[in-house]
Amino acid sequence: MKTAVVLNTLIGGNREVSNGLARGDSKRISGVISEGDYPWANTIAGLDPVDELLSKCRRLVEEKDIYIIIDGASSDELKGRFTGYHLIIVDDWKLHTVFNAMYSACREYEDIVYWYIDAPLIDTAITKQMQKSHREEVADYTYGEGFPEGITPEVLRTNILPKLISLIGDEKKSIRRNSIFEVLSKDINSFDIETFFSPKDMRLERIQLFTSLKRTRLIVDSVVERKGFGCSFEELAGLFESEPSVTRTVPSYIEIEITNKTNIGYIYSPLQFLTRPRGLMPFRHFEKIFNKLLDFSENFYIAFSLLGEPLMHQDIARFIELVVVNNGVNLILETDGTLFTPDFSDYIHKLDADNLSIIFEVDAIRDDTYRKIRGGDLSMVERNIRYLLEKGVDNVYVQMVRMDVNEDEMLEFFEVWEREAKGAVIQKYNSYLNLLPSLSGSDLKPLERGKCWHLLRDLVIFWDGKVPRCKQDINGKFLLGNILEDTLPDIWKRGEFFWLDHSRKEYDEYCKICDEYFTFNF
């Protein structure tokens, strides 16, 4: 049975299309693409991760059966980087283009092992087992389940590519990591799919082992320093269990309180319990903070405005514009919609930022329910939302916090806004460590308590620069520092203490009663 290995270089680098909430299709960067444009070109522990990956691929197939998908605008230097291997050159990153080019190059092969150039920790022993299972089960598509992302490839029968191309149709989406499965899922019953299960289910860990993003590259760095590029999955799992700090690298989700003021009250707001001052973050302070975040995290999501209404800040446009010009940052603007006037919608439309997502906090589908929760005019808020949608602005979501008072409207709410907006968001009710009364009878906690996602991935910044350990700490009882005065690495390091406590299943009196530990942002 003849098998090709296809490595995709288009996933790596600063042109990666995220699977997250706010990202649309990647925009082409003009000019010649050089090797320096790709973070996966960096060395790790003095070794070249691409060379290490290619060495692993040669254990799976002969060198003549290895193909590299590369951008046609790449420099001769970058193309020369893969001398001896077949190049699949594409002019854009659209799914249709990439799948067509892959099929044209590999149509003589029966199967393709598909992988990414920024994932050097692929386990070749597991890959061989997947290939064996794929052949024995006569599968069209085989994938790994329960492994950290970056350990197992996708194996597909080459002759399904024309079917996938037909399923794409006129869609203009760009390639991303799960594109093959996404397209295949459009008519999933037409394909024979084989799932290769991990001996240890690590899905809940959400670990990614890619070198093209700093947050995940630092995990790869730690693995290689301790175990080498040839580390097996079993060794990886043991490392993550014995050294949980390895997976806590840099924050991926930043909540910034540009203001803690709000123009309307709502029944689940914890602001009534705020003992620290109300205020507005000066724009000059935000510039300083944002530059620190860029230096430290590089790629992240940033959300305005924690407990306040961001549109109450007189400089909100300057805040938005500073963020959205950075290709590696996704901005989430959370608003109650009352100040989202047609003029502001016109501004957002002209901004044309595909890394900006807007979440309208609405909570109800009926007027009387809205008044009980927010005490305002639902029809006015809905007009503001629909005006923005009519402008053709993408990445607009409408949110409901699930409570007893609106429980019977949840299905209708979901159906309406899934149809009209980009999507409906159903949010869990948060009592903020029992400061608020229980307004929801739904207990969504998992049966077994895990480590807190927010201590692992989130950073919260108050309007005056102070950094609490998490969003639940609304008055800053546990301060990690002040980002205007302290270095961000020092602040982040101080939070590791709490993460390691959770890893040992040790919780203080506040974490013990918190039920937000399992909720996940980005």
Side-chain angles (χ1 to χ4, degrees), residues 67-234:
Y67 292 75
I68 316 290
I69 304 176
I70 197 166
D71 193 295
S74 300
S75 65
D76 291 339
E77 176 188 9
L78 182 55
K79 292 174 182 175
R81 173 75 175 74
F82 301 108
T83 299
Y85 302 96
H86 300 289
L87 297 184
I88 301 176
I89 297 176
V90 295
D91 293 328
D92 61 56
W93 312 311
K94 302 302 181 192
L95 283 172
H96 193 276
T97 303
V98 175
F99 285 3
N100 259 318
M102 196 191 313
Y103 181 64
S104 296
C106 302
R107 64 196 312 162
E108 300 303 319
Y109 293 90
E110 190 163 354
D111 296 314
I112 293 172
V113 174
Y114 180 73
W115 198 231
Y116 317 111
I117 201 75
D118 66 342
L121 294 181
I122 181 173
D123 189 313
T124 53
I126 289 175
T127 301
K128 289 177 180 178
Q129 294 176 42
M130 290 178 65
Q131 288 180 275
K132 183 174 183 290
S133 175
H134 182 79
R135 291 192 296 267
E136 290 177 349
E137 299 299 326
V138 196
D140 291 319
Y141 175 81
T142 300
Y143 70 102
E145 183 69 65
F147 297 93
E149 290 186 59
I151 292 295
T152 58
E154 296 167 279
V155 184
L156 60 148
R157 192 173 293 275
T158 309
N159 64 13
I160 73 167
L161 280 168
K163 298 179 186 177
L164 297 181
I165 293 166
S166 67
L167 289 173
I168 295 168
D170 296 329
E171 287 185 17
K172 303 299 182 185
K173 289 183 180 179
S174 296
I175 191 84
R176 57 185 187 179
R177 294 194 193 275
N178 62 346
S179 287
I180 292 177
F181 188 77
E182 276 189 349
V183 175
L184 180 148
S185 297
K186 292 175 181 289
D187 189 14
I188 199 165
N189 293 326
S190 295
F191 300 92
D192 292 318
I193 298 175
E194 178 71 10
T195 306
F196 190 87
F197 290 100
S198 168
K200 178 183 171 91
D201 189 350
M202 297 185 67
R203 283 174 296 181
L204 292 180
E205 301 291 330
R206 288 187 171 97
I207 296 171
Q208 296 178 315
L209 300 170
F210 306 123
T211 60
S212 58
L213 296 175
K214 182 177 181 180
R215 177 173 50 83
T216 58
R217 184 172 70 246
L218 290 173
I219 302 177
V220 176
D221 288 350
S222 295
V223 169
V224 172
E225 287 170 1
R226 290 164 173 77
K227 301 291 184 179
F229 281 101
C231 179
S232 68
F233 167 67
E234 289 75 14

Side-chain angles (χ1 to χ4, degrees), residues 212-450:
S212 58
L213 296 175
K214 182 177 181 180
R215 177 173 50 83
T216 58
R217 184 172 70 246
L218 290 173
I219 302 177
V220 176
D221 288 350
S222 295
V223 169
V224 172
E225 287 170 1
R226 290 164 173 77
K227 301 291 184 179
F229 281 101
C231 179
S232 68
F233 167 67
E234 289 75 14
E235 291 175 304
L236 269 177
L239 173 62
F240 295 145
E241 185 173 350
S242 63
E243 296 188 52
S245 60
V246 165
T247 60
R248 191 178 185 270
T249 54
V250 293
S252 60
Y253 182 69
I254 322 292
E255 286 195 86
I256 296 193
E257 183 184 76
I258 64 173
T259 178
N260 56 10
K261 297 180 179 181
T262 185
N263 58 319
I264 63 170
Y266 50 99
I267 62 174
Y268 59 90
S269 171
L271 285 176
Q272 58 187 299
F273 300 101
L274 209 65
T275 58
R276 58 186 174 87
R278 303 288 183 102
L280 298 165
M281 179 180 286
F283 180 71
R284 69 182 186 281
H285 287 177
F286 179 70
E287 283 185 299
K288 181 177 181 179
I289 292 169
F290 188 61
N291 285 328
K292 283 190 173 186
L293 292 170
L294 285 174
D295 289 341
F296 187 54
S297 283
E298 295 181 3
N299 300 83
F300 52 92
Y301 288 82
I302 188 168
F304 297 153
S305 167
L306 196 58
L307 303 179
E309 169 53 52
L311 270 65
M312 290 193 70
H313 201 299
Q314 70 274 13
D315 289 325
I316 183 61
R318 298 177 71 192
F319 280 78
I320 292 172
E321 289 163 16
L322 180 63
V323 175
V324 298
V325 296
N326 291 272
N327 194 47
V329 182
N330 300 285
L331 173 61
I332 301 171
L333 185 66
E334 297 185 76
T335 174
D336 60 36
T338 56
L339 301 178
F340 216 106
T341 63
D343 285 345
F344 193 75
S345 285
D346 292 341
Y347 160 74
I348 293 295
H349 176 245
K350 291 177 182 176
L351 198 61
D352 190 27
D354 68 358
N355 59 342
L356 168 64
S357 288
I358 299 161
I359 299 179
F360 288 95
E361 300 162 336
V362 176
D363 297 324
I365 204 76
R366 294 198 299 260
D367 291 337
D368 59 334
T369 306
Y370 186 82
R371 283 193 295 272
K372 289 177 185 176
I373 296 173
R374 293 189 165 267
D377 183 353
L378 175 59
S379 61
M380 182 266 287
V381 172
E382 290 180 336
R383 284 196 302 272
N384 288 345
I385 297 171
R386 290 185 170 112
Y387 181 88
L388 179 67
L389 292 171
E390 287 168 4
K391 302 291 289 186
V393 176
D394 202 6
N395 295 329
V396 175
Y397 299 81
V398 185
Q399 177 176 288
M400 169 186 278
V401 171
R402 183 179 180 182
M403 295 172 284
D404 293 340
V405 69
N406 60 12
E407 183 81 24
D408 64 343
E409 299 178 32
M410 186 169 63
L411 181 58
E412 184 182 358
F413 181 95
F414 186 84
E415 290 174 345
V416 167
W417 293 115
E418 280 287 307
R419 182 175 65 250
E420 294 192 40
K422 185 69 176 283
V425 178
I426 307 299
Q427 187 79 285
K428 170 190 163 295
Y429 175 73
N430 182 4
S431 70
Y432 287 90
L433 305 179
N434 296 331
L435 283 176
L436 294 169
S438 177
L439 298 179
S440 175
S442 301
D443 185 358
L444 304 176
K445 294 193 301 293
L447 294 175
E448 183 177 348
R449 176 157 188 161

Side-chain angles (χ1 to χ4, degrees), residues 2-50:
K2 199 173 180 184
T3 300
V5 169
V6 175
L7 298 177
N8 191 346
T9 70
L10 305 181
I11 296 297
N14 56 9
R15 287 167 302 282
E16 173 167 350
V17 182
S18 168
N19 294 334
L21 180 70
R23 297 303 289 164
D25 285 344
S26 167
K27 292 183 178 179
R28 190 177 184 86
I29 297 174
S30 60
V32 175
I33 300 170
S34 67
E35 186 168 0
D37 290 324
Y38 290 93
W40 48 255
N42 295 337
T43 60
I44 296 177
L47 298 172
D48 187 327
V50 177

